[in-house]
DNA sequence: TTGAAAGCGCTAACAT
DNA sequence: ATGTTAGCGCTTTCAA
């Protein structure tokens, strides 16, 4: 491998001079600089960033940990993070926890040993607490994405789950629905709790009694489980509308409904949190509370880098990105 | 930061002994091992992988470079790569070139300076040649994904674009179509060339003259450009079916068709290469030649690690993953 | 303007 | 079974 010493020798200077040329530090005569640069090109020299990191005590690497790479919400978020990181001169080390605390922990260990400069962390849920505490114990700056974790104070970029849920339920009520089911994520996850709260609040404000029989808590990823849904539909007074707490659950719900011959929206209205990606453009069908996922990533990196570089950054900044109600055709006026 | 020296001191041993405990090398008495381990835990010690990489001359990092993180094909591929890398003890450094040679080059430089052990490289197109040559010049093992690049001999995992295209066209012909348009990617990309060839071959075998007026070459990502499509539809004898060379182009085509009030499949049949993701489960609509994208990634990592670790690996292994024709409802018998 | 020396955290090779 | 030495490629400090 070509090192600065190879360059130094060929250019008849010291390694130190080469280093200065590379980093544009110190005073170097124009002549020397040119000569060194020439040799670097001739020899195809590429600095070894491991050696650099070792002495500098910083890597210029940021880590992004998400929970589900197949979900367009996170894909788009990743894109925002990547663009932003690139712009700011950082590399992105990428991890996918699959909503699994163990996998998440493995990634935390990897992150720690890589000595990344900071972490953009989308927690799997409340159980992420000890993983985040570990990062903190090692003084790695991090910004939390999407889901708050009780017990951790930090910068966080999140959506407004409560408000988004209320908008969705309000909308359904405005269509005449009163038996509205909630197919929720696990209560172990802050956004699921907030969506549940928003759902409950909206109902209360509309003077509709909350019926716990109409509420299912599963996981954001268990969109294929149809048993619980069956129970919902076999109720003496089944719902006329379903609010799915995320996009995947909505897809699962609709799939299961169709299997039973229940048409959406004719026989059942369905709305959800989070949009689907481009392919839904084929059939702009789902009525959703869409979140600005790209912004989650871009903004997250920005906060993170500010915290890494900035001296006087306020503690625990909370950025809340609003969701947008996009009315399409998966919900309709009741009884029409 | 806690180093092996801190551990060594607390445990009353030398740094070397600590190193041996960490790596399970050399002979260490059970007693010493226990004591050292205890101290490591007490001090929350995490090895510095940069220092390790520097002396070992290997990083245990693999790089994955894809061209479009928003495309489910690559997302799924990334997931396969990630799972596989994790299983084999490698970290994954992730890059997205956006089908852009310049961005791709930036990533190559980053990869080089990180001294990754190997690269899984999905090229943007033929112009990736010099980027791949650069990797080769620096002796970084790589495996190419999806698109062959003329001038580069290497391990490669690709689909069977020619055969997939033929299947799709044959299917359309079997439905009675004879004026079949091709909305293709750029001829700068091997898969686009092969899909074009497959298209042409299928037509010829069916005794249908190829009409270049029915062929459009754009880019795999330009799914929103409607001008060229308009030209196609305004032809004296417009097509009755369209073969889109990838999923995004199909979405664009269908969107544009609908804007003009042309229904799919009633007025126009549409098929494409590559499936959409889960969200298409909502409306299993598109008839596609689906590729096993997860396998692309998983298999790619496997070949890559074999090449990195293995001594006697044959040169330039070519793995071809077949596509599967999935017939849904975006194409129908002509005139029915 | 340039360079020598020391050290970042770790491990291979070689003692003891 | 354990320790000493040297060095991976780079930069900081200080001296020339």
């Amino acid at each position: 491998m070509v090192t600065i010493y190879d360059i130094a020798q060929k250019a008849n200077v010291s390694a130190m001079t080469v280093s200065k040329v590379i980093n544009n530090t110190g005073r170097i005569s124009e002549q020397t600089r040119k000569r060194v640069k020439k040799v670097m090109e001739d020899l195809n020299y590429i600095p070894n960033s491991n050696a650099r990191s070792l002495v500098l005590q910083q890597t210029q690497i940021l880590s992004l940990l998400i929970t589900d790479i197949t979900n367009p919400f996170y894909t788009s978020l990743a894109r925002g993070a990547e663009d932003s990181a690139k712009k700011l001169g950082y590399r992105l080390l990428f991890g996918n926890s699959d909503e699994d605390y163990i996998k998440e922990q493995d990634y935390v260990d990897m992150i720690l040993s890589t000595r990344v400069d900071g972490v953009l962390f989308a927690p799997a849920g409340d159980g992420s607490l000890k993983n985040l505490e570990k990062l903190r114990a090692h003084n790695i700056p991090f910004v939390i994405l999407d889901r708050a974790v009780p017990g951790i104070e930090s910068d966080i970029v999140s959506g407004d789950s409560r408000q988004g849920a209320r908008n969705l339920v309000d909308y359904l009520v405005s269509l005449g629905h009163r038996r509205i089911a909630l197919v929720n994520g696990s209560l172990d996850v802050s956004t699921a709790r907030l969506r549940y709260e928003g759902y409950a609040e909206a109902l209360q404000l509309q003077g509709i009694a909350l019926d716990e029989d109409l509420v299912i808590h599963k996981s954001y990823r268990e969109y294929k489980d149809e048993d619980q849904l069956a129970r919902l539909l076999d109720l003496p007074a089944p719902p006329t509308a379903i609010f799915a707490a995320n996009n995947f659950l909505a897809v699962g719900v609709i799939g299961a409904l169709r299997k039973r011959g229940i048409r959406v929206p004719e026989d059942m209205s369905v709305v959800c949190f989070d949009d689907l990606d481009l392919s839904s453009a084929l059939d702009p069908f789902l009525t959703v509370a869409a979140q600005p996922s790209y912004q989650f990533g871009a903004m997250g990196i920005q906060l993170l880098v500010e915290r890494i570089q900035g001296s006087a950054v306020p503690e625990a900044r909370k950025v809340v990105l609003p969701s947008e109600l996009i009315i399409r055709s998966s919900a309709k006026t009741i009884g029409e």
Side-chain angles (χ1 to χ4, degrees), chain A:
Chain A
M1 200 177 9
V2 182
T3 74
I4 46 170
Y5 288 99
D6 301 321
I7 309 293
Q9 197 177 336
K10 273 244 186 190
N12 271 314
V13 292
S14 74
M16 201 50 242
T17 303
V18 178
S19 172
K20 280 172 183 156
V21 170
I22 293 169
N23 299 294
N24 261 310
T25 50
R27 294 162 213 300
I28 301 281
S29 75
E30 212 28 60
Q31 188 193 348
T32 315
R33 175 187 311 286
K34 282 237 172 76
R35 187 154 36 92
V36 170
K37 287 216 163 179
K38 175 85 170 50
V39 176
M40 290 200 298
E41 279 187 18
D42 290 352
L43 264 48
N44 269 314
Y45 172 72
I46 307 255
N48 182 325
S49 62
N50 292 302
R52 217 151 174 281
S53 297
L54 195 55
V55 35
L56 256 26
Q57 300 283 49
Q58 53 153 331
T59 53
Q60 293 296 113
I61 295 180
L62 264 24
S63 178
L64 170 64
L65 193 51
I66 62 178
T67 68
D68 189 354
I69 197 186
T70 63
N71 193 318
F73 172 75
Y74 285 112
T75 307
S76 167
L77 181 156
R79 203 160 189 296
E82 199 219 354
D83 286 352
S84 208
K86 197 149 193 300
K87 206 166 295 169
L88 295 166
Y90 285 87
R91 293 169 283 171
L92 242 208
L93 194 59
F94 186 78
N96 173 40
S97 70
D98 270 340
E99 307 273 8
D100 176 335
Y101 294 129
I102 306 296
K103 272 201 190 183
E104 191 177 78
Q105 183 180 9
D106 287 350
Y107 270 114
V108 165
D109 288 342
M110 183 198 96
I111 283 165
L112 253 15
S113 78
T114 307
R115 302 295 196 266
V116 302
D117 294 348
V119 184
L120 253 195
F121 198 115
D126 294 354
S128 302
L129 178 62
K130 68 175 196 312
N131 292 331
L132 287 163
E133 279 174 340
K134 195 164 184 181
L135 284 182
R136 184 141 287 168
H138 285 269
N139 280 312
I140 312 283
F142 58 81
V143 171
I144 291 183
L145 253 30
D146 192 36
R147 303 171 183 174
V149 174
I152 289 286
E153 278 294 303
S154 79
D155 292 338
I156 178 167
V157 179
S158 61
D160 194 342
S161 282
R162 177 186 268 115
Q163 187 59 50
R166 285 178 55 166
N167 293 154
L168 250 11
V169 173
D170 283 350
Y171 172 67
L172 288 174
V173 172
S174 79
L175 295 180
H177 296 278
R178 299 187 67 83
R179 306 258 325 141
I180 299 170
L182 168 62
V183 175
N184 201 12
S186 159
L187 285 183
D188 195 39
V189 177
S190 71
T191 52
R193 286 193 295 274
L194 290 167
R195 285 164 202 186
Y196 174 63
E197 286 176 26
Y199 163 84
E201 283 172 21
L203 289 180
Q204 188 180 12
L205 287 169
Q206 303 277 0
I208 300 173
L210 191 154
D211 179 353
E212 285 292 350
D213 281 347
L214 292 181
V215 178
I216 295 177
H217 300 289
K218 30 177 40 178
S219 141
Y220 280 143
R221 305 190 84 200
E222 277 176 44
Y223 56 89
K224 278 174 181 158
D225 165 34
E226 292 170 19
D227 293 349
Q228 289 193 283
L229 192 71
R231 197 170 49 69
L232 205 60
L233 300 174
D234 293 337
L235 246 30
T240 61
I242 298 176
F243 163 28
N246 84 343
N247 48 6
F248 278 17
L249 288 172
V251 169
V253 163
I254 293 178
L257 288 173
R258 288 195 178 155
K259 253 192 202 164
R260 290 174 64 121
I262 300 174
R263 295 164 303 163
V264 179
E266 290 80 359
D267 309 323
M268 180 75 76
S269 288
V270 177
V271 301
C272 72
F273 229 97
D274 289 335
D275 206 351
L276 289 172
D277 69 338
L278 169 113
S279 55
S280 71
L282 272 187
D283 242 309
F285 175 64
L286 266 179
T287 290
V288 301
Q291 301 196 87
S293 43
Y294 183 96
Q295 284 305 319
F296 272 70
M299 179 71 79
I301 289 286
Q302 200 176 306
L303 291 186
L304 183 56
V305 171
E306 278 172 24
R307 175 145 318 276
I308 292 168
Q309 298 179 343
S311 34
V313 180
E315 278 317 297
R317 296 165 292 173
K318 318 282 180 204
V319 174
V320 176
L321 268 16
S323 60
E324 183 195 1
L325 183 64
I326 302 182
I327 296 175
R328 296 199 279 239
S329 56
S330 63
K332 63 181 271 296
T333 306
I334 193 166
E336 246 180 27

